[in-house]
Amino acid sequence: MQPVPSAAPQRAPPLPAAAAAAASSSRRAADVAVVGGSLQAYAAAYLLAKRGKRTVLVEHAALQLAGVTPSARPDVALHLPAASSHAVSAATEAFALWRGIEASAEGARGLLHLCGSIDVAPVRGSSAASDALGAMQDASRAASLQFGMLSPDEVSAAFPRLRPPKGSAALYTNAGGVVNGRLAAAVLRAMAQRAGAVLAPACLLGWRDAGGHFALRTAPLEAAAAADGLGGEGEVVYECEQLVLLPDAAVQQQSLGLFGLAVPGAQLWRLPAGRWRAQEDCAALPLWQLLGAGSTRTVDDPTAIDSAWGIPVLGWAPGSMFVAQCLPDGSPAENLAAGVAAGAAGGGGGSSTPGSQLPTSGGPDELAAAAAAALGSAGAAAALQLGALGEERPGSEEAVDAERQWQAERQRQEEAAARRLATAGALAGRLVNGVGSRLAGLDSQMRLIVTPDSEPAVGSHPGFEDGRVVAAFPATAAQLGCLPGDQLAPLIARLAADELMGRAPQAVSAAAVALGREALAAEAAALPHDSWFELARCLPAQL
């Protein structure tokens, strides 16, 4: 059944253009519709089609979200060490799946750069960094990941370009590396198409639960844009029995929300990243992470950043290195929403924001607890934003003031991110001999999903019968030693396909990754507008 509010809102009659377009749509049948343009969405479309399901993939959950998803696919770090043995096992399984794709898929040559990884942290005294390295060592051993612990001299002997600080230790494994993000998207899309999946470069205009099946209104992006998202030429209605929701991290919350699914425990974070000039032989270095010395300052001070990670840039720019700050130095993207909500509610705009005071000292448990508290505050801020902005009259003095404050807060956060990124680049230059100046115009914001327990999620939408609507996403944790979880994409796709077909998950604990686990607090949410004709109105005012 479709989630419905306890008191149904008054719905305006459908716009004539939307109603006319829907009436003249062509209709096509499918067993499963995959909604999303992520790597895991392409992989799931392939798996389902290969298993005999008539599959259609709709890349965008709404026209407005098409411009939010990054057009350029970033490379993906294959980093197997983690703070828990379960996370190490999941990353190892995903790594094996990536290797299988490269070995068997047409056009996949060069998909992986198998360089291994090295994590460096101080070992003198007690700090968050040394505790994190110790947890990674214990978890890797428990998961039977082959690794070695190296001294600074041993690291420099093996990799002359690396200069670990005195009094540090390094965890090195030759398993892992980098996935070429652009090639991965192209290969997975081609695999899905060859397996028989229909890949519709379209956006969703509306959907409804027709009882025995779902109906999805779609239209090509250009046609939808020309008709202001109301349909237009080329509109197609797909009728399918099951849905799989696998949106990109950048639009995950909005996309799931359009289907009445709220997951407060999974929050969007942004990490500043950039590219630095590097000597060409730096491309032979492993994926590296410098865990720093455990600063006691808060991350509001850019100089407090003492952790960063980097990978060689693949393909188009071999003489450069991708560098990003580590997760504990970041903050939830919803902090921006808190500033907007405060302004709209008359609170004077955004200054300090929930979650921006994550400590960079203390043990992994303290960091995980702080991250969990930040996630809860961020979820409340996002909900406040929807309520505060959604009731303002367009063009009113209050709405203009809220927009001005939102823009000011965005600029403040962008400036802070730029300062932190510069600090991350300085750390890269300290560890890697051969890193030069920053390449102008190539800064970016990595978007990733953070969960309090660091685990991904897969499961059935709580508002429907089990298996009718499946949602899944990779995730990571806001604590030292954790890198973005996008490497799990092929594993997430397999778990989602298994869930949809009623199969038990493999290589992971079902309870640990369940969408319904307590840490995520997933629940069915009421849609404020008609999901068939007015789906776009269910989106928040600010994206």
Side-chain angles (χ1 to χ4, degrees):
M1 56 179 290
Q2 181 175 342
V4 293
S6 55
Q10 295 296 318
R11 290 173 177 160
L15 297 174
S24 62
S25 301
S26 64
R27 293 182 176 268
R28 301 175 187 175
D31 296 323
V32 183
V34 179
V35 180
S38 61
L39 295 179
Q40 55 267 23
Y42 300 142
Y46 160 74
L47 288 173
L48 290 167
K50 187 178 179 182
R51 294 179 183 183
K53 293 285 188 179
R54 293 177 300 167
T55 304
V56 59
L57 183 143
V58 180
E59 291 191 318
H60 305 288
L63 175 65
Q64 294 87 337
L65 300 181
V68 180
T69 305
S71 56
R73 297 279 176 182
D75 292 338
V76 177
L78 293 173
H79 182 252
L80 276 54
S84 73
S85 59
H86 185 266
V88 176
S89 297
T92 302
E93 181 69 13
F95 177 51
L97 293 174
W98 280 119
R99 297 197 69 172
I101 292 170
E102 183 184 46
S104 61
E106 183 178 335
R109 183 177 180 181
L111 176 65
L112 304 182
H113 176 58
L114 301 179
C115 58
S117 68
I118 190 165
D119 298 276
V120 181
V123 291
R124 293 178 179 173
S126 177
S127 69
S130 59
D131 290 345
L133 188 67
M136 293 164 63
Q137 182 179 356
D138 293 341
S140 298
R141 183 180 296 110
S144 301
L145 175 67
Q146 293 186 350
F147 69 94
M149 298 301 298
L150 306 179
S151 68
D153 289 342
E154 290 172 326
V155 171
S156 296
F159 306 102
R161 286 287 182 186
L162 295 182
R163 303 172 299 186
K166 293 182 178 179
S168 66
L171 188 159
Y172 170 72
T173 176
N174 59 8
V178 185
V179 179
N180 185 317
R182 299 182 185 185
L183 182 57
V187 167
L188 291 172
R189 281 177 57 91
M191 288 172 61
Q193 288 177 312
R194 282 195 294 270
V198 175
L199 270 61
C203 64
L204 189 66
L205 303 176
W207 69 276
R208 66 184 173 198
D209 182 359
H213 67 275
F214 294 100
L216 277 65
R217 290 179 55 222
T218 71
L221 289 177
E222 292 184 2
D228 293 326
L230 299 179
E233 184 179 357
E235 180 171 323
V236 176
V237 173
Y238 289 99
E239 296 179 343
C240 56
E241 297 178 1
Q242 295 170 290
L243 300 178
V244 183
L245 310 179
L246 296 168
D248 186 90
V251 294
Q252 186 226 47
Q253 293 168 314
Q254 299 93 334
S255 298
L256 297 183
L258 291 177
F259 287 88
L261 177 59
V263 190
Q267 294 296 320
L268 175 69
W269 283 47
R270 293 191 178 100
L271 290 184
R275 290 169 174 81
W276 270 256
R277 289 183 176 85
Q279 296 295 322
E280 288 198 17
D281 60 349
C282 288
L285 292 176
L287 182 164
W288 58 266
Q289 182 172 204
L290 179 63
L291 295 178
S295 170
T296 58
R297 293 165 289 183
T298 69
V299 298
D300 279 345
D301 176 7
T303 63
I305 294 177
D306 58 4
S307 300
W309 60 275
I311 56 176
V313 174
L314 305 183
W316 60 274
S320 63
M321 178 166 288
F322 178 92
V323 177
Q325 67 177 59
C326 285
L327 269 164
D329 299 318
S331 58
E334 284 73 17
N335 285 354
L336 187 59
V340 180
S351 53
S352 294
T353 51
S356 62
Q357 300 294 323
L358 285 182
T360 54
S361 65
D365 291 341
E366 291 181 71
L367 289 168
L375 294 178
S377 300
L384 180 60
Q385 179 198 25
L386 297 182
L389 292 184
E391 297 174 2
E392 299 294 351
R393 289 176 289 107
S396 67
E397 182 177 345
E398 293 85 356
V400 171
D401 184 55
E403 172 70 17
R404 186 182 301 114
Q405 292 180 28
W406 182 80
Q407 294 290 353
E409 177 67 9
R410 166 173 278 186
Q411 181 177 356
R412 184 192 71 80
Q413 291 199 7
E414 288 178 350
E415 290 173 352
R419 293 194 298 270
R420 290 172 178 166
L421 183 56
T423 306
L427 289 169
R430 190 180 305 170
L431 176 66
V432 183
N433 179 21
V435 171
S437 59
R438 189 167 164 186
L439 293 171
L442 295 178
D443 292 350
S444 60
Q445 292 279 332
M446 295 190 70
R447 295 174 173 90
L448 60 151
I449 299 299
V450 169
T451 57
D453 56 9
S454 80
E455 297 288 356
V458 58
S460 294
H461 191 312
F464 299 88
E465 295 87 351
D466 284 353
R468 284 199 73 200
V469 181
V470 172
F473 51 84
T476 187
Q479 65 185 65
L480 283 173
C482 294
L483 266 62
D486 292 341
Q487 63 181 339
L488 299 179
L491 177 60
I492 296 299
R494 191 178 71 184
L495 293 173
D498 288 344
E499 173 75 13
L500 182 134
M501 301 186 75
R503 299 180 180 179
Q506 302 176 33
V508 298
S509 163
V513 302
L515 177 65
R517 66 186 188 270
E518 184 177 353
L520 298 185
E523 61 182 358
L527 295 177
H529 302 285
D530 181 10
S531 64
W532 185 249
F533 288 113
E534 301 177 291
L535 186 64
R537 294 184 62 190
C538 299
L539 288 168
Q542 300 284 3
L543 294 177

